[in-house]
């Protein structure tokens, strides 16, 4: 049903219907719609997608949005503010009852999730291409989150995609730009627009989960850390919580001011792109803990002095200690979930805690149904994503507070925490090798050819061991029984090693091949690169990367 235009008298006549043609390729990927910024800037492009989201969701709002609240915010990248203006005008055109927009337009992904949940919103639109670079020549993105605070699940994103294919008009409220730089409320036609403080709900939630008093004392006792905001959306949260609330010294947060182009860098917290931080943590006077978040604040990297904690290990350590050391988890964990390519370190912790472990396809949207059903408490991905059922997104800053709490509770260094963990559970040496900008059709054909070979691979030698099983991962959601096929090809070896590969669903150019390498060992003092070298060579050979793409080495190793 189209909007009735029967809102508050006065300015509803400013709502017009604007014709638009469908754009091809508006199918949301692993995490929303991500494209080159220029593609998003084409007249009508964002408008058509946003109206398609509303068209797809109108049924769930019982036919009209007059009682629904929409939340809007983004990571502050180039085109963020323009996109927010468009969304506000279209949301008023669609007669939403209320739109909550983050002051300055900046809202991290986890804060979006928290706001949707705490304010019982119908859904939210996050403007972000996450860790991808920003700028007119770089990337932009938009993601729709549903009422549980999580990314729209597959059936919803497919419905949105269907609407994008035959859209022919959208609704637009004609008025000047709406001021979003000051908090306050104002009504336009039938819609109340409320500009809110983006730090408030998230900070309140963190103070409920963590013992801020104990952390304050910890900083007072001389504990030192550095947090790298990478000029994304998390800087203001980190400054507010670490420096203002917990009393960490000024300067604890670096690169804390959001910038439209992230200072020209990749706002991606890994060893390659968070070079500033890595450098500081290797210095003789390095602080006790180093951490970074990506542009939209859902990814995190954790470093000790001269020590990188791989995301799979970080998830395992958080799961190991949360029940004892973090007030929000005192009643224990119900289960742990990890994406299939993520290392099996968390599986061993789940076994020790006697709770289930779930293995899902890549992408946070698959964790939502498990958390909603109470099946798991913490979850993580190898791509620097960690989180819990406090919201329905991964939460970079939450992971930092988890590590702070672990170090505070145990009075041990990051290295000691990890050594103790590996001594007890053994160690999964893990690396991900990314080959970027590959020819898409050659990559798709490679996958097709590999799928045919899979059944005959068991029993063959591979790297340091022998193949026990090779398959294309198919996931059946244990709650709603949705089946997700083709979620990544995996080769499992006799010695517990695993090699997984899949094509990225977030890239904006050609194909990105991700190869995930894991090797388990009891000894924990080996070099990760050396430990996975044989696996890496064998998979390169099996996939004939040189022949197909003329590539020898990956572009990025994390
Ligand atoms: C990548 C990661 C995946 C993550 C997704 C979104 O997807 O591998 O684990 O959930 O990015 O993260 P893909 O399809 O490119 O491998 V975020 O922080 O960019 O929203
Ligand atoms: Co992100």
């Amino acid at each position: 049903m189209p909007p009735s235009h029967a809102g508050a008298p006065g300015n509803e006549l400013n709502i017009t219907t604007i014709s638009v043609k469908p754009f091809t390729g508006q199918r949301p990927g692993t995490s929303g719609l991500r494209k080159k910024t220029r593609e998003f800037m084409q007249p009508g492009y964002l408008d058509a997608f946003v109206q398609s989201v509303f068209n797809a969701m109108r049924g769930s709002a019982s036919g009209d949005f007059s009682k629904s609240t929409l939340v809007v915010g983004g990571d502050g990248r180039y085109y963020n503010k323009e996109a927010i203006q468009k969304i506000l005008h279209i949301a008023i055109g669609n007669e939403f009852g209320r739109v909550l927009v983050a002051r300055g337009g900046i809202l991290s992904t986890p804060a979006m999730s928290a706001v949707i949940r705490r304010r019982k919103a119908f859904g939210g639109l996050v403007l972000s291409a996450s860790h991808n670079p920003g700028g007119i020549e770089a990337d932009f993105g938009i993601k729709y989150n549903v009422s549980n605070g999580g990314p729209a699940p597959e059936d919803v994103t497919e419905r949105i995609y269907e609407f994008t294919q035959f859209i022919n008009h959208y609704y637009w409220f004609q008025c000047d730009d709406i001021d979003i730089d000051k908090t306050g409320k104002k009504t336009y036609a039938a819609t109340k627009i409320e500009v809110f403080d983006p730090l408030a709900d998230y900070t309140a939630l963190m103070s409920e989960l963590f013992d801020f008093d104990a952390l304050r004392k910890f900083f007072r006792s001389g504990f030192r850390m550095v947090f790298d905001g990478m000029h994304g959306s998390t800087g203001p949260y980190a400054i507010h919580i670490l420096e203002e609330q917990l009393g960490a010294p000024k300067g604890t947060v670096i690169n804390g001011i959001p910038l439209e182009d992230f200072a020209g860098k990749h706002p991606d917290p890994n060893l390659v792109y968070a070079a500033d931080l890595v450098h500081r943590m290797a210095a003789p006077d390095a602080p006790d803990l180093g951490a970074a978040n990506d542009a939209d604040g859902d990814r995190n990297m954790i470093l000790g002095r001269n020590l990188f904690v791989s995301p799979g290990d970080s998830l395992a350590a958080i799961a190991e200690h949360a029940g004892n050391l973090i007030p929000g988890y005192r009643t224990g964990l119900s289960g742990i979930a990890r994406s299939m390519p993520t290392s099996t370190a968390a599986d061993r912790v789940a076994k020790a805690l006697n709770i289930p472990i779930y293995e899902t396809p890549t992408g946070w949207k698959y964790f939502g149904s498990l958390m909603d059903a109470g099946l798991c408490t913490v979850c993580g991905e190898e791509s620097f994503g960690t989180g819990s059922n406090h919201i329905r997104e991964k939460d970079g800053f939450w992971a930092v507070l988890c590590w702070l709490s672990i170090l505070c509770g145990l009075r041990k260094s990051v290295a000691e925490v990890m050594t103790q963990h590996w001594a007890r559970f053994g160690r999964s040496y893990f690396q991900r090798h990314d080959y970027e900008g590959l020819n898409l059709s050659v990559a798709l054909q490679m996958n097709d050819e590999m799928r045919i070979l899979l059944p005959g691979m068991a029993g063959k030698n591979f790297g340091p061991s022998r193949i026990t099983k090779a398959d294309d991962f198919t996931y059946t959601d244990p709650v709603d029984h949705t089946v997700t096929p083709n979620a990544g090809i995996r080769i499992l070896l006799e010695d517990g090693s695993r090699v997984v590969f899949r094509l990225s669903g977030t890239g904006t150019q050609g194909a990105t091949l991700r190869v995930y390498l894991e090797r388990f060992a009891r000894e924990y003092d080996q070099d990760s690169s050396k430990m996975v070298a044989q696996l890496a060579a064998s998979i390169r050979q099996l996939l004939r990367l040189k022949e197909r793409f003329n590539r020898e080495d990956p572009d990025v190793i994390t």
Side-chain angles (χ1 to χ4, degrees), residues 130-131 294 296-299 394:
S130 191
H131 54 290
D294 73 337
D296 66 325
D298 55 358
R299 295 184 173 210
K394 52 191 186 254

Side-chain angles (χ1 to χ4, degrees), residues 30 34 130-131 298-299 381 383 394 502 504-506 514:
T30 314
R34 267 182 218 178
S130 191
H131 54 290
D298 55 358
R299 295 184 173 210
E381 293 191 281
S383 55
K394 52 191 186 254
R502 55 180 281 282
S504 158
T506 59
R514 304 203 195 283

Side-chain angles (χ1 to χ4, degrees), residues 371-384:
M371 291 191 278
D372 283 350
L375 297 182
C376 81
T377 308
V378 298
C379 22
E381 293 191 281
E382 51 62 45
S383 55
F384 297 82

